[in-house]
Amino acid sequence: MVIPSSGFIDQRLDTVQTLPFQPLGDMLDTDIVIGRSSDDRYRAGMGWASKKGHKDVKLSLFRQQTVGEGLDGLWLASLQGEFTPDALAQTFDFTGELALAAQSSSSQRTLGGSGIRLNLARKPANGFSYSLALSQFSQDFHPYGSVVNAGERRAAAKLGFTPWADTKITAGADYIFRAWDGDTPCDEYRTGLSFSSIVFTYLSAKLETSAQRALDCTAASSAGDIDSWALTLSENAWTGWDINLVAEVSQKRLPFTQEQRTKSHYRVSGEQDLRLGPHWASFRPEVSLQTVTDTSVERRLQTGLVMDIETPMQNITLYLGYESLTGSGGSLDDSAGKIQLDYRLDFDA
C-alpha cells in the first residue's frame, strides 16, 4: 500500500481508507488514501510508487486539513526514494527526499516552504559501518505534525564498529546551522560516543556520552553547553526477572551567564511474568530518584508498581505509585500517592 506521506511529516494515522487505482496498469503502484489522526487532522491524497532493481521512488501529493479551521489547509508534494547506482548497491544505500509545502490561506502561520534531505550509508563490512546525512529546510517550511525544525541546515556523520560479537561502538558528530535564512543565525555542534557489550553471561551494559556546544548564538536562540552521560545495566536470565539499572547525569551551562545546572536521574526497574489461571500477567516495580541542582537543590523520589493482565479481548492495567518532592531550605516539600486503573476491550467489528 502506498501511503501519501513524507519523511518530514508525522505519519501516525489512526484510521486509513485505501482505494487501489491503476490507470497505468502495472507500471506504477497507485493508491488513493484518506486518513484521520487523533487530533482531528485529516489527510487525503494520492501516492505513486515505482521499484526497479535498487531504484525505489515514491511521489506523494496530498492535502492536510484540521477540523474547525474552515478552508484553511496545507498542500504538500514529496518525491522520495532510493537512488543507489547498481554498481554500488551491494555496499551503499543512497536515499533522498524533496518536499514542497504550500498553505491555502494567509491565516496560517506561513505561506509554505521547502525541505530536502540526503542520506548515504555504507552497509556493515568487517565490523565497520558509517553514514552521512545532509538536510536543509527553509524558514517557511511548517507542515502540520512536522518532525523537523524549519530554517535549519544539518550535517550528521556516524561511525559504527563491532569488534566482536555482542559488542558495538558508535561515534557520531552533528553540525546544525539554525535560522540560516533569518535575522539571528545560530550554529552548534554535538558529539556522541556509545559502547555496549555483554559484561558477564547474564549482564549487558551500555555507556553513552555526549557534548553540545553553541557558537555565535544569542541567548534567546542558544540552549547553552550541555555535557551528559548515561549508564544502563540489564539482566534478564539469571534472576528470572528483566532488571534494568539506569544512571543519567547531565550538566548544562547557560549562555553568557555560564550558570551551571546539573540534573541526575537514577532508576531501578524490574519485570516478571506471572501465570494467573488461564491468563498471563506482568508485574513491574520501579524506583527512581531525580535531582536538579543549580542555586538550590530539588529532589523527586518516585516509586511505582504496575500490573498488566491481558486476555485475547481485554487488557487491564493497575498502577500504584507514590511521589515525594523536596527542595533545599524547606521551600518545597510535597508528597502524593496515585492509583490508576485502565481497562481496554478489543473486538473485531
Side-chain angles (χ1 to χ4, degrees):
M1 180 175 67
V2 180
I3 299 292
S5 62
S6 162
F8 302 137
I9 304 298
D10 185 353
Q11 300 182 26
R12 290 172 295 181
L13 295 173
D14 298 327
T15 58
V16 178
Q17 300 293 329
T18 306
L19 175 64
F21 183 60
Q22 302 293 121
L24 300 178
D26 296 331
M27 294 177 59
L28 292 172
D29 292 331
T30 307
D31 282 323
I32 301 175
V33 179
I34 300 176
R36 178 182 181 276
S37 63
S38 59
D39 57 355
D40 286 335
R41 187 172 65 243
Y42 288 82
R43 182 180 303 168
M46 297 188 67
W48 298 267
S50 175
K51 184 174 181 63
K52 183 179 180 181
H54 295 283
K55 306 295 191 303
D56 185 358
V57 180
K58 180 167 72 172
L59 173 64
S60 302
L61 298 172
F62 64 93
R63 178 179 173 84
Q64 285 191 169
Q65 185 91 29
T66 301
V67 174
E69 293 190 353
L71 298 178
D72 294 353
L74 172 78
W75 294 96
L76 191 136
S78 167
L79 177 65
Q80 59 180 312
E82 179 181 353
F83 309 99
T84 311
D86 292 338
L88 303 176
Q90 299 300 319
T91 307
F92 294 94
D93 284 324
F94 181 67
T95 58
E97 178 175 8
L98 171 64
L100 302 174
Q103 294 174 341
S104 58
S105 172
S106 60
S107 65
Q108 291 292 335
R109 185 175 179 183
T110 58
L111 297 179
S114 63
I116 185 172
R117 62 175 183 172
L118 301 171
N119 185 78
L120 174 66
R122 189 187 190 283
K123 299 176 181 179
N126 300 321
F128 283 95
S129 63
Y130 59 83
S131 64
L132 175 63
L134 304 173
S135 60
Q136 174 178 295
F137 312 102
S138 69
Q139 192 70 30
D140 296 331
F141 191 73
H142 289 279
Y144 304 158
S146 177
V147 295
V148 303
N149 294 318
E152 179 180 278
R153 288 175 175 169
R154 177 179 294 216
K158 182 177 292 186
L159 173 65
F161 177 53
T162 303
W164 55 81
D166 300 319
T167 299
K168 186 173 183 179
I169 302 173
T170 303
D174 201 353
Y175 174 78
I176 305 170
F177 188 25
R178 304 187 189 279
W180 60 274
D181 59 350
D183 297 329
T184 57
C186 170
D187 56 348
E188 66 180 42
Y189 67 88
R190 304 171 184 172
T191 58
L193 179 67
S194 71
F195 173 82
S196 61
S197 182
I198 301 296
V199 181
F200 301 109
T201 304
Y202 302 116
L203 181 66
S204 61
K206 184 175 184 180
L207 177 63
E208 300 172 281
T209 65
S210 65
Q212 175 178 311
R213 295 291 182 270
L215 306 173
D216 299 326
C217 297
T218 64
S221 60
S222 172
D225 297 340
I226 303 175
D227 297 303
S228 64
W229 63 267
L231 175 64
T232 302
L233 300 177
S234 303
E235 188 279 323
N236 59 8
W238 182 46
T239 62
W241 286 69
D242 289 332
I243 298 178
N244 290 287
L245 293 87
V246 180
E248 301 173 322
V249 177
S250 67
Q251 288 187 335
K252 179 178 180 179
R253 288 175 294 279
L254 300 179
F256 300 116
T257 64
Q258 291 301 305
E259 177 183 330
Q260 184 167 293
R261 187 182 193 191
T262 302
K263 296 176 64 176
S264 61
H265 187 195
Y266 304 96
R267 185 176 73 252
V268 180
S269 64
E271 182 173 353
Q272 174 71 281
D273 291 331
L274 304 174
R275 187 78 178 183
L276 298 178
H279 307 301
W280 281 99
S282 64
F283 180 75
R284 301 194 304 274
E286 180 176 298
V287 179
S288 75
L289 174 63
Q290 300 180 63
T291 304
V292 178
T293 304
D294 40 33
T295 56
S296 61
V297 180
E298 178 183 305
R299 294 184 179 89
R300 185 184 300 270
L301 175 65
Q302 294 175 303
T303 61
L305 174 64
V306 181
M307 176 173 284
D308 282 326
I309 303 175
E310 188 169 355
T311 71
M313 293 184 61
Q314 303 173 83
N315 181 269
I316 301 173
T317 302
L318 174 64
Y319 171 79
L320 304 173
Y322 173 81
E323 179 177 306
S324 174
L325 183 62
T326 59
S328 61
S331 60
L332 191 63
D333 190 0
D334 190 21
S335 61
K338 183 177 181 180
I339 300 177
Q340 182 174 330
L341 179 65
D342 295 326
Y343 175 78
R344 189 183 77 237
L345 177 64
D346 297 324
F347 60 92
D348 295 329

